Coordinates of all heavy atoms in Angstrom, one line a residue:
M1 N -15.9 36.0 31.5 CA -15.8 34.6 31.9 C -16.6 33.8 30.9 O -16.4 32.6 30.7 CB -16.3 34.5 33.3 CG -16.0 33.1 33.9 SD -14.2 32.7 33.8 CE -13.7 32.8 35.5
G2 N -17.6 34.4 30.2 CA -18.4 33.7 29.2 C -17.6 33.1 28.1 O -17.8 32.1 27.6
G3 N -16.5 33.9 27.7 CA -15.7 33.4 26.6 C -14.9 32.2 27.0 O -14.7 31.3 26.2
M4 N -14.4 32.1 28.2 CA -13.7 31.0 28.7 C -14.6 29.8 28.8 O -14.2 28.7 28.4 CB -13.1 31.3 30.1 CG -12.2 30.1 30.6 SD -10.9 29.8 29.5 CE -9.5 30.5 30.5
A5 N -15.8 29.9 29.3 CA -16.8 28.8 29.4 C -17.1 28.3 28.0 O -17.1 27.0 27.8 CB -18.0 29.2 30.1
H6 N -17.2 29.2 27.0 CA -17.5 28.7 25.6 C -16.3 28.0 25.1 O -16.5 26.9 24.4 CB -17.8 30.0 24.8 CG -17.9 29.6 23.3 ND1 -19.0 28.9 22.8 CD2 -17.1 29.9 22.2 CE1 -18.9 28.8 21.5 NE2 -17.7 29.3 21.1
L7 N -15.1 28.5 25.4 CA -13.9 27.8 24.9 C -13.7 26.4 25.5 O -13.4 25.5 24.8 CB -12.7 28.7 25.2 CG -11.3 28.2 24.7 CD1 -11.4 28.1 23.2 CD2 -10.2 29.1 25.1
M8 N -14.0 26.3 26.8 CA -14.0 25.0 27.5 C -15.0 24.0 26.9 O -14.7 22.8 26.7 CB -14.1 25.1 29.0 CG -13.0 25.9 29.6 SD -11.4 25.1 29.5 CE -11.7 23.7 30.6
K9 N -16.2 24.5 26.6 CA -17.2 23.7 26.0 C -16.8 23.2 24.6 O -17.0 22.0 24.3 CB -18.6 24.4 26.0 CG -19.7 23.6 25.6 CD -21.0 24.4 25.6 CE -21.9 23.8 26.7 NZ -23.2 24.5 26.8
Q10 N -16.3 24.1 23.9 CA -15.8 23.8 22.5 C -14.7 22.7 22.6 O -14.7 21.8 21.8 CB -15.3 25.0 21.8 CG -15.0 24.8 20.4 CD -14.6 26.1 19.7 OE1 -14.4 27.1 20.3 NE2 -14.6 26.1 18.3
A11 N -13.8 22.9 23.5 CA -12.7 21.9 23.7 C -13.2 20.6 24.1 O -12.7 19.5 23.6 CB -11.7 22.4 24.7
Q12 N -14.2 20.5 24.9 CA -14.8 19.2 25.4 C -15.5 18.6 24.2 O -15.3 17.3 24.0 CB -15.8 19.5 26.5 CG -16.4 18.2 27.0 CD -17.3 18.4 28.2 OE1 -17.7 19.6 28.5 NE2 -17.8 17.3 28.8
R13 N -16.2 19.3 23.4 CA -16.9 18.8 22.2 C -15.8 18.2 21.2 O -16.0 17.1 20.7 CB -17.7 19.8 21.5 CG -18.5 19.3 20.3 CD -19.2 20.4 19.6 NE -18.3 21.5 19.1 CZ -17.5 21.5 18.1 NH1 -17.5 20.4 17.3 NH2 -16.8 22.5 17.7
L14 N -14.8 18.9 21.0 CA -13.7 18.5 20.1 C -13.1 17.2 20.6 O -12.8 16.3 19.9 CB -12.7 19.6 19.9 CG -11.6 19.3 19.0 CD1 -12.1 19.1 17.5 CD2 -10.5 20.4 18.9
Q15 N -12.9 17.1 21.9 CA -12.3 15.9 22.5 C -13.2 14.7 22.3 O -12.7 13.6 22.0 CB -12.0 16.2 24.0 CG -11.2 15.0 24.7 CD -10.9 15.3 26.1 OE1 -11.5 16.3 26.7 NE2 -10.0 14.6 26.7
E16 N -14.5 14.9 22.5 CA -15.4 13.8 22.3 C -15.5 13.4 20.8 O -15.5 12.2 20.5 CB -16.8 14.3 22.7 CG -17.0 14.5 24.2 CD -18.3 15.2 24.6 OE1 -19.1 15.5 23.8 OE2 -18.5 15.3 25.8
E17 N -15.4 14.3 19.9 CA -15.4 14.0 18.5 C -14.1 13.3 18.1 O -14.2 12.3 17.3 CB -15.6 15.3 17.6 CG -17.0 15.9 17.7 CD -17.1 17.1 16.9 OE1 -16.2 17.4 16.0 OE2 -18.0 17.9 17.1
L18 N -13.0 13.7 18.7 CA -11.7 13.0 18.4 C -11.7 11.6 18.9 O -11.3 10.7 18.3 CB -10.6 13.8 19.1 CG -9.2 13.3 18.8 CD1 -8.9 13.3 17.3 CD2 -8.2 14.2 19.5
A19 N -12.3 11.4 20.1 CA -12.4 10.0 20.7 C -13.2 9.1 19.8 O -12.9 8.0 19.6 CB -12.9 10.1 22.1
K20 N -14.3 9.7 19.4 CA -15.2 8.9 18.5 C -14.5 8.5 17.2 O -14.6 7.4 16.7 CB -16.5 9.7 18.2 CG -17.5 9.0 17.3 CD -18.7 9.9 17.0 CE -19.6 9.2 16.0 NZ -20.6 10.1 15.5
A21 N -13.8 9.5 16.6 CA -13.1 9.2 15.3 C -12.0 8.2 15.6 O -11.8 7.3 14.7 CB -12.5 10.5 14.8
Q22 N -11.3 8.3 16.7 CA -10.2 7.3 17.0 C -10.8 5.9 17.2 O -10.2 4.9 16.7 CB -9.4 7.7 18.2 CG -8.5 8.9 17.9 CD -7.9 9.4 19.2 OE1 -8.4 9.4 20.3 NE2 -6.7 10.0 19.0
A23 N -12.0 5.8 17.8 CA -12.6 4.5 18.0 C -13.1 3.9 16.6 O -12.9 2.7 16.4 CB -13.9 4.6 18.9
E24 N -13.6 4.8 15.7 CA -14.0 4.3 14.4 C -12.7 3.8 13.6 O -12.8 2.8 12.9 CB -14.7 5.4 13.6 CG -16.0 5.8 14.2 CD -16.7 7.0 13.5 OE1 -16.1 7.5 12.5 OE2 -17.7 7.4 14.0
I25 N -11.6 4.5 13.7 CA -10.4 4.1 13.1 C -9.9 2.8 13.6 O -9.5 1.9 12.8 CB -9.3 5.2 13.2 CG1 -9.7 6.4 12.4 CG2 -7.9 4.7 12.9 CD1 -8.8 7.6 12.7
A26 N -10.0 2.6 14.9 CA -9.6 1.3 15.5 C -10.4 0.1 15.0 O -9.9 -1.0 14.8 CB -9.7 1.4 17.0
E27 N -11.7 0.4 14.6 CA -12.6 -0.7 14.1 C -12.4 -0.9 12.6 O -12.9 -1.9 12.1 CB -14.0 -0.3 14.4 CG -14.4 -0.3 15.9 CD -14.2 -1.7 16.5 OE1 -14.7 -2.7 15.9 OE2 -13.7 -1.8 17.6
M28 N -11.8 0.0 11.9 CA -11.7 -0.1 10.5 C -10.8 -1.3 10.1 O -9.9 -1.7 10.8 CB -11.0 1.1 9.8 CG -11.9 2.3 9.7 SD -11.2 3.7 8.8 CE -9.5 3.7 9.0
R29 N -11.1 -2.0 9.0 CA -10.3 -3.0 8.4 C -10.1 -2.6 7.0 O -11.0 -2.3 6.2 CB -11.1 -4.4 8.5 CG -11.4 -4.8 9.9 CD -10.1 -5.1 10.7 NE -10.4 -5.5 12.1 CZ -10.3 -4.7 13.1 NH1 -10.0 -3.4 13.0 NH2 -10.5 -5.2 14.3
V30 N -8.8 -2.7 6.6 CA -8.4 -2.2 5.2 C -7.7 -3.4 4.6 O -6.8 -3.9 5.2 CB -7.5 -1.0 5.3 CG1 -7.2 -0.5 3.9 CG2 -8.2 0.2 6.1
E31 N -8.1 -3.7 3.3 CA -7.4 -4.7 2.6 C -6.7 -4.2 1.3 O -7.2 -3.2 0.7 CB -8.5 -5.8 2.1 CG -8.9 -6.7 3.1 CD -9.8 -7.8 2.5 OE1 -10.1 -7.8 1.3 OE2 -10.1 -8.8 3.2
A32 N -5.6 -4.8 1.0 CA -5.0 -4.5 -0.3 C -4.3 -5.8 -0.8 O -4.0 -6.7 0.0 CB -3.9 -3.4 -0.1
S33 N -4.2 -5.9 -2.1 CA -3.6 -7.1 -2.7 C -2.5 -6.7 -3.6 O -2.4 -5.6 -4.1 CB -4.7 -7.9 -3.3 OG -5.3 -7.2 -4.4
A34 N -1.7 -7.8 -3.9 CA -0.6 -7.6 -4.9 C -0.6 -8.9 -5.7 O -1.1 -9.9 -5.4 CB 0.7 -7.5 -4.1
G35 N 0.1 -8.8 -6.8 CA 0.2 -9.9 -7.7 C -1.1 -10.3 -8.3 O -1.4 -11.5 -8.4
G36 N -1.9 -9.4 -8.7 CA -3.2 -9.7 -9.2 C -4.1 -10.4 -8.3 O -4.9 -11.2 -8.7
G37 N -4.0 -10.1 -7.0 CA -4.9 -10.7 -6.0 C -4.3 -12.0 -5.4 O -5.0 -12.7 -4.6
M38 N -3.1 -12.3 -5.8 CA -2.5 -13.6 -5.3 C -2.1 -13.5 -3.8 O -2.0 -14.5 -3.1 CB -1.2 -13.9 -6.1 CG -1.5 -14.2 -7.6 SD -2.7 -15.5 -7.8 CE -1.7 -16.9 -7.6
V39 N -1.8 -12.2 -3.3 CA -1.5 -12.0 -1.9 C -2.4 -10.9 -1.4 O -2.4 -9.8 -2.1 CB 0.0 -11.7 -1.7 CG1 0.3 -11.3 -0.2 CG2 0.9 -12.8 -2.1
T40 N -3.1 -11.1 -0.3 CA -4.0 -10.0 0.2 C -3.7 -9.8 1.7 O -3.6 -10.8 2.4 CB -5.5 -10.4 0.1 OG1 -5.8 -10.7 -1.3 CG2 -6.4 -9.3 0.6
A41 N -3.4 -8.6 2.0 CA -3.1 -8.2 3.4 C -4.3 -7.4 4.0 O -4.9 -6.6 3.3 CB -1.9 -7.3 3.5
T42 N -4.6 -7.6 5.3 CA -5.6 -6.9 6.0 C -5.0 -6.2 7.2 O -4.3 -6.9 7.9 CB -6.8 -7.8 6.4 OG1 -7.3 -8.5 5.3 CG2 -7.9 -7.0 7.1
V43 N -5.2 -4.9 7.3 CA -4.7 -4.2 8.5 C -5.8 -3.4 9.2 O -6.9 -3.2 8.6 CB -3.6 -3.2 8.0 CG1 -2.4 -3.9 7.4 CG2 -4.1 -2.1 7.1
T44 N -5.6 -3.1 10.4 CA -6.5 -2.2 11.1 C -6.4 -0.8 10.7 O -5.4 -0.5 9.9 CB -6.3 -2.3 12.7 OG1 -5.0 -1.7 12.9 CG2 -6.3 -3.7 13.2
G45 N -7.2 0.1 11.2 CA -7.1 1.5 10.8 C -5.8 2.1 11.3 O -5.4 3.1 10.8
Q46 N -5.2 1.5 12.3 CA -3.9 2.0 12.8 C -2.7 1.3 12.0 O -1.6 1.6 12.4 CB -3.8 1.7 14.3 CG -4.7 2.5 15.1 CD -5.7 1.7 15.9 OE1 -5.9 0.5 15.6 NE2 -6.3 2.3 16.9
G47 N -3.0 0.5 11.1 CA -2.0 -0.1 10.3 C -1.4 -1.4 10.8 O -0.5 -1.9 10.2
E48 N -2.0 -2.0 11.8 CA -1.6 -3.3 12.3 C -2.0 -4.4 11.5 O -3.2 -4.6 11.2 CB -2.1 -3.5 13.8 CG -1.7 -4.8 14.4 CD -2.4 -5.0 15.7 OE1 -3.0 -4.1 16.3 OE2 -2.3 -6.1 16.2
L49 N -1.1 -5.3 11.0 CA -1.4 -6.4 10.2 C -2.2 -7.4 11.0 O -1.8 -7.9 12.0 CB -0.1 -7.0 9.6 CG -0.3 -8.3 8.7 CD1 -1.0 -7.9 7.4 CD2 1.1 -8.9 8.5
I50 N -3.4 -7.8 10.5 CA -4.3 -8.7 11.2 C -4.6 -9.9 10.3 O -5.2 -10.9 10.8 CB -5.5 -8.1 11.8 CG1 -6.4 -7.4 10.6 CG2 -5.2 -7.1 12.9 CD1 -7.7 -7.0 11.0
G51 N -4.3 -9.9 9.0 CA -4.6 -11.0 8.2 C -3.7 -11.0 6.9 O -3.3 -9.9 6.4
L52 N -3.4 -12.2 6.4 CA -2.6 -12.3 5.2 C -3.1 -13.6 4.5 O -3.1 -14.7 5.1 CB -1.2 -12.4 5.6 CG -0.2 -12.5 4.4 CD1 -0.2 -11.1 3.7 CD2 1.2 -12.7 4.9
A53 N -3.5 -13.4 3.3 CA -4.0 -14.6 2.5 C -3.0 -14.7 1.3 O -2.7 -13.7 0.6 CB -5.4 -14.4 2.0
V54 N -2.6 -15.9 1.1 CA -1.6 -16.2 0.0 C -2.2 -17.4 -0.9 O -2.5 -18.4 -0.3 CB -0.2 -16.6 0.5 CG1 0.7 -17.0 -0.7 CG2 0.3 -15.5 1.4
E55 N -2.4 -17.1 -2.1 CA -2.9 -18.2 -3.0 C -1.8 -19.2 -3.2 O -0.7 -18.9 -3.4 CB -3.4 -17.6 -4.4 CG -4.5 -16.6 -4.3 CD -5.8 -17.3 -3.8 OE1 -6.1 -18.5 -4.2 OE2 -6.6 -16.7 -3.1
R56 N -2.3 -20.5 -3.3 CA -1.3 -21.6 -3.5 C -0.4 -21.4 -4.7 O 0.8 -21.8 -4.7 CB -2.0 -22.9 -3.5 CG -2.6 -23.4 -2.2 CD -3.2 -24.8 -2.4 NE -3.9 -25.2 -1.2 CZ -3.2 -25.7 -0.1 NH1 -1.9 -25.8 -0.1 NH2 -3.9 -26.1 1.0
E57 N -1.0 -20.9 -5.8 CA -0.3 -20.8 -7.0 C 1.0 -20.0 -7.0 O 1.9 -20.1 -7.7 CB -1.2 -20.3 -8.1 CG -2.4 -21.1 -8.5 CD -3.6 -20.9 -7.5 OE1 -3.8 -19.7 -7.1 OE2 -4.3 -21.9 -7.2
V58 N 1.0 -19.0 -6.0 CA 2.1 -18.1 -5.9 C 3.2 -18.7 -5.0 O 4.3 -18.1 -5.0 CB 1.6 -16.7 -5.4 CG1 1.4 -16.7 -3.9 CG2 2.6 -15.6 -5.8
V59 N 3.0 -19.8 -4.4 CA 4.0 -20.4 -3.5 C 4.9 -21.3 -4.4 O 4.5 -22.4 -4.7 CB 3.4 -21.2 -2.4 CG1 4.4 -21.8 -1.5 CG2 2.5 -20.3 -1.5
D60 N 6.1 -20.8 -4.7 CA 7.0 -21.5 -5.5 C 8.3 -21.6 -4.7 O 9.0 -20.6 -4.5 CB 7.3 -20.8 -6.8 CG 8.3 -21.5 -7.7 OD1 8.9 -22.5 -7.3 OD2 8.5 -21.0 -8.8
P61 N 8.7 -22.8 -4.2 CA 9.9 -23.0 -3.4 C 11.2 -22.5 -4.2 O 12.2 -22.1 -3.5 CB 10.0 -24.5 -3.2 CG 8.7 -25.0 -3.4 CD 8.0 -24.1 -4.4
E62 N 11.1 -22.4 -5.5 CA 12.2 -22.0 -6.3 C 12.3 -20.4 -6.4 O 13.3 -19.9 -6.9 CB 12.2 -22.6 -7.7 CG 12.2 -24.1 -7.7 CD 13.5 -24.7 -7.1 OE1 14.6 -24.1 -7.4 OE2 13.4 -25.6 -6.4
D63 N 11.2 -19.7 -6.0 CA 11.2 -18.3 -6.1 C 10.6 -17.7 -4.8 O 9.5 -17.0 -4.9 CB 10.4 -17.9 -7.3 CG 10.6 -16.4 -7.7 OD1 11.4 -15.7 -7.0 OD2 10.0 -16.0 -8.7
V64 N 11.2 -17.9 -3.7 CA 10.7 -17.3 -2.4 C 10.8 -15.8 -2.5 O 9.9 -15.1 -1.9 CB 11.5 -17.9 -1.3 CG1 11.1 -17.3 0.0 CG2 11.3 -19.4 -1.2
D65 N 11.8 -15.2 -3.2 CA 11.9 -13.8 -3.2 C 10.7 -13.1 -3.8 O 10.2 -12.1 -3.3 CB 13.1 -13.4 -4.0 CG 14.4 -13.7 -3.3 OD1 14.4 -13.9 -2.1 OD2 15.5 -13.8 -4.0
M66 N 10.1 -13.7 -4.8 CA 8.9 -13.1 -5.4 C 7.7 -13.1 -4.4 O 7.0 -12.1 -4.3 CB 8.4 -13.9 -6.7 CG 7.2 -13.3 -7.3 SD 6.4 -14.3 -8.6 CE 5.9 -15.7 -7.6
L67 N 7.6 -14.2 -3.7 CA 6.5 -14.2 -2.7 C 6.7 -13.2 -1.6 O 5.8 -12.5 -1.2 CB 6.4 -15.6 -2.0 CG 5.4 -15.8 -0.9 CD1 4.0 -15.4 -1.4 CD2 5.4 -17.2 -0.4
T68 N 8.0 -13.1 -1.2 CA 8.3 -12.0 -0.2 C 8.0 -10.7 -0.7 O 7.4 -9.8 0.0 CB 9.8 -12.1 0.2 OG1 10.1 -13.4 0.7 CG2 10.2 -11.1 1.2
D69 N 8.3 -10.4 -1.9 CA 8.0 -9.1 -2.5 C 6.5 -8.8 -2.6 O 6.1 -7.7 -2.3 CB 8.6 -8.9 -3.9 CG 10.1 -8.9 -3.9 OD1 10.8 -8.6 -2.9 OD2 10.7 -9.1 -5.0
L70 N 5.8 -9.8 -2.9 CA 4.3 -9.7 -3.0 C 3.7 -9.4 -1.6 O 2.8 -8.6 -1.5 CB 3.7 -10.9 -3.7 CG 3.9 -11.1 -5.1 CD1 3.3 -12.4 -5.6 CD2 3.4 -9.9 -6.0
V71 N 4.2 -10.1 -0.6 CA 3.7 -9.9 0.7 C 4.0 -8.5 1.2 O 3.1 -7.8 1.7 CB 4.3 -11.0 1.7 CG1 4.0 -10.6 3.2 CG2 3.8 -12.3 1.4
I72 N 5.2 -8.1 1.0 CA 5.6 -6.7 1.4 C 4.8 -5.7 0.7 O 4.3 -4.7 1.3 CB 7.1 -6.5 1.2 CG1 8.0 -7.3 2.1 CG2 7.5 -5.0 1.3 CD1 9.4 -7.3 1.8
A73 N 4.6 -5.8 -0.6 CA 3.8 -4.9 -1.4 C 2.3 -4.8 -0.9 O 1.8 -3.7 -0.8 CB 3.8 -5.2 -2.9
A74 N 1.7 -6.0 -0.6 CA 0.4 -6.0 -0.2 C 0.2 -5.3 1.2 O -0.7 -4.5 1.4 CB -0.2 -7.4 -0.1
V75 N 1.1 -5.6 2.1 CA 1.1 -5.1 3.5 C 1.3 -3.5 3.4 O 0.6 -2.8 4.0 CB 2.1 -5.7 4.4 CG1 2.2 -5.0 5.7 CG2 1.8 -7.2 4.6
Q76 N 2.3 -3.1 2.6 CA 2.6 -1.7 2.6 C 1.4 -0.9 1.9 O 1.1 0.2 2.4 CB 3.8 -1.4 1.8 CG 5.1 -1.8 2.5 CD 6.4 -1.6 1.7 OE1 6.3 -1.6 0.5 NE2 7.5 -1.5 2.4
E77 N 0.8 -1.5 0.9 CA -0.4 -0.8 0.3 C -1.6 -0.7 1.3 O -2.2 0.3 1.4 CB -0.8 -1.5 -1.0 CG -2.0 -0.9 -1.7 CD -1.8 0.5 -2.1 OE1 -0.7 1.0 -2.2 OE2 -2.8 1.2 -2.5
A78 N -1.8 -1.8 2.0 CA -2.9 -1.8 3.0 C -2.6 -0.8 4.1 O -3.5 0.0 4.5 CB -3.1 -3.2 3.6
Q79 N -1.4 -0.7 4.6 CA -1.0 0.3 5.6 C -1.1 1.7 5.0 O -1.6 2.6 5.7 CB 0.4 0.1 6.1 CG 0.5 -1.2 6.9 CD 1.9 -1.5 7.3 OE1 2.9 -1.3 6.6 NE2 2.1 -2.2 8.5
R80 N -0.8 1.9 3.8 CA -0.9 3.3 3.2 C -2.4 3.7 3.1 O -2.7 4.8 3.4 CB -0.3 3.3 1.8 CG -0.3 4.7 1.1 CD 0.0 4.6 -0.4 NE -1.0 3.9 -1.1 CZ -2.3 4.4 -1.3 NH1 -2.6 5.5 -0.9 NH2 -3.1 3.6 -2.0
K81 N -3.2 2.7 2.7 CA -4.7 3.0 2.6 C -5.2 3.3 4.0 O -6.0 4.2 4.1 CB -5.4 1.8 2.0 CG -5.3 1.6 0.5 CD -6.1 0.4 0.1 CE -6.1 0.2 -1.4 NZ -6.9 -0.9 -1.8
A82 N -4.8 2.6 5.0 CA -5.3 2.8 6.4 C -4.9 4.2 6.9 O -5.6 4.9 7.5 CB -4.8 1.7 7.3
Q83 N -3.6 4.6 6.6 CA -3.1 5.9 7.0 C -3.9 7.0 6.3 O -4.3 8.0 6.9 CB -1.7 6.0 6.7 CG -1.1 7.3 7.1 CD 0.4 7.5 6.8 OE1 1.0 6.8 6.0 NE2 1.1 8.3 7.6
T84 N -4.2 6.8 5.0 CA -5.0 7.8 4.3 C -6.4 8.0 4.8 O -6.9 9.1 5.1 CB -5.0 7.4 2.8 OG1 -3.7 7.4 2.2 CG2 -5.9 8.4 2.0
L85 N -7.0 6.8 5.1 CA -8.4 6.9 5.7 C -8.4 7.5 7.1 O -9.3 8.3 7.4 CB -9.0 5.5 5.8 CG -9.3 4.8 4.4 CD1 -9.7 3.4 4.6 CD2 -10.5 5.6 3.8
S86 N -7.4 7.2 7.9 CA -7.2 7.8 9.2 C -7.1 9.3 9.1 O -7.7 10.1 9.9 CB -6.1 7.2 10.0 OG -6.3 5.9 10.2
Q87 N -6.2 9.8 8.2 CA -6.0 11.2 8.0 C -7.3 11.9 7.6 O -7.6 13.0 8.0 CB -4.8 11.5 7.1 CG -3.5 11.2 7.7 CD -2.3 11.3 6.7 OE1 -2.5 11.4 5.5 NE2 -1.1 11.4 7.3
E88 N -8.0 11.2 6.7 CA -9.3 11.8 6.2 C -10.3 12.0 7.3 O -11.0 12.9 7.4 CB -9.9 11.0 5.1 CG -9.1 11.0 3.8 CD -9.6 10.1 2.7 OE1 -10.6 9.3 3.0 OE2 -9.0 10.0 1.6
K89 N -10.3 11.0 8.2 CA -11.2 11.1 9.4 C -10.8 12.1 10.4 O -11.6 12.8 11.0 CB -11.4 9.7 10.0 CG -12.5 9.6 11.0 CD -12.9 8.2 11.3 CE -13.8 7.6 10.2 NZ -15.1 8.1 10.1
L90 N -9.5 12.1 10.7 CA -9.0 13.0 11.8 C -8.7 14.4 11.2 O -8.7 15.4 12.0 CB -7.7 12.4 12.4 CG -7.9 11.1 13.2 CD1 -6.6 10.6 13.7 CD2 -8.9 11.4 14.4
G91 N -8.4 14.5 10.0 CA -8.0 15.8 9.4 C -8.9 17.0 9.7 O -8.5 18.0 10.2
P92 N -10.2 16.9 9.5 CA -11.1 18.0 9.8 C -11.1 18.4 11.3 O -11.2 19.5 11.6 CB -12.5 17.5 9.4 CG -12.2 16.4 8.4 CD -10.9 15.8 8.8
L93 N -11.0 17.4 12.2 CA -11.0 17.7 13.6 C -9.7 18.4 14.0 O -9.7 19.4 14.7 CB -11.0 16.4 14.4 CG -12.4 15.6 14.3 CD1 -12.3 14.3 15.0 CD2 -13.5 16.4 14.9
A94 N -8.6 18.0 13.4 CA -7.3 18.6 13.7 C -7.3 20.0 13.2 O -6.8 21.0 13.8 CB -6.1 17.8 13.2
Q95 N -7.8 20.2 12.0 CA -7.8 21.5 11.3 C -8.7 22.5 12.1 O -8.4 23.6 12.2 CB -8.2 21.4 9.9 CG -7.1 20.7 9.0 CD -7.5 20.4 7.6 OE1 -8.7 20.7 7.2 NE2 -6.6 20.0 6.8
G96 N -9.8 21.9 12.5 CA -10.8 22.7 13.2 C -10.2 23.2 14.6 O -10.6 24.3 15.1
A97 N -9.3 22.5 15.1 CA -8.7 22.8 16.4 C -7.5 23.6 16.2 O -6.9 24.1 17.2 CB -8.4 21.6 17.2
G98 N -7.0 23.7 15.0 CA -5.8 24.4 14.7 C -4.5 23.6 15.0 O -3.4 24.2 15.2
F99 N -4.6 22.3 15.1 CA -3.5 21.4 15.3 C -2.9 20.9 14.0 O -3.7 20.6 13.1 CB -3.9 20.3 16.2 CG -4.4 20.7 17.5 CD1 -5.7 20.2 18.0 CD2 -3.6 21.4 18.4 CE1 -6.1 20.6 19.2 CE2 -4.1 21.8 19.7 CZ -5.4 21.4 20.1
P100 N -1.6 20.8 13.9 CA -1.1 20.1 12.7 C -1.3 18.6 12.8 O -1.3 18.0 13.8 CB 0.4 20.5 12.8 CG 0.7 20.7 14.2 CD -0.6 21.2 14.8
L101 N -1.4 18.0 11.6 CA -1.6 16.5 11.5 C -0.2 15.9 11.7 O 0.8 16.4 11.2 CB -2.2 16.1 10.2 CG -3.7 16.3 10.1 CD1 -4.1 16.0 8.6 CD2 -4.4 15.5 11.1
P102 N -0.1 14.7 12.3 CA 1.2 14.1 12.4 C 1.7 13.6 11.1 O 1.0 13.3 10.2 CB 0.9 12.9 13.4 CG -0.6 12.7 13.4 CD -1.2 14.0 12.9

């Protein structure tokens, strides 16, 4: 029965560490920019867009497509960075438990 108690204690510790890591990820803010800093996107650790800054110089009514492309590029890069940081934080916990990463 000692082995089972140890396993349960280890699972509880892992669950606590996972909850802590998830809370840290939720608090993370990640920025990325496009167009030489003309468009900057800010996302949470979960990839949710929470901020977008656009410099006036890049707003051209004759070239809305360029602005759209810059916004998309900035948001996608911020989300990619957030995902990478999340995987780095959760990876050791998942590997330690023998679970595959999503």
Side-chain angles (χ1 to χ4, degrees):
M1 194 53 107
M4 181 62 105
H6 174 72
L7 185 60
M8 293 298 288
K9 186 177 245 184
Q10 187 177 13
Q12 182 179 7
R13 182 186 56 79
L14 183 61
Q15 185 177 16
E16 290 168 0
E17 289 178 17
L18 183 59
K20 180 182 174 190
Q22 288 173 329
E24 290 173 6
I25 289 168
E27 293 296 316
M28 286 189 327
R29 300 296 179 257
V30 181
E31 282 189 354
S33 61
M38 298 303 279
V39 175
T40 302
T42 305
V43 300
T44 66
Q46 290 116 344
E48 179 185 349
L49 180 65
I50 58 171
L52 185 65
V54 178
E55 296 294 325
R56 288 186 184 279
E57 298 84 37
V58 77
V59 179
D60 179 358
E62 300 297 318
D63 195 1
V64 174
D65 289 340
M66 180 190 65
L67 177 57
T68 302
D69 291 344
L70 292 175
V71 169
I72 290 169
V75 171
Q76 287 178 338
E77 179 63 14
Q79 289 173 329
R80 186 196 62 73
K81 285 181 176 181
Q83 182 178 20
T84 298
L85 290 171
S86 294
Q87 287 177 343
E88 288 173 1
K89 189 163 283 292
L90 293 175
L93 293 174
Q95 290 173 355
F99 300 123
L101 285 175

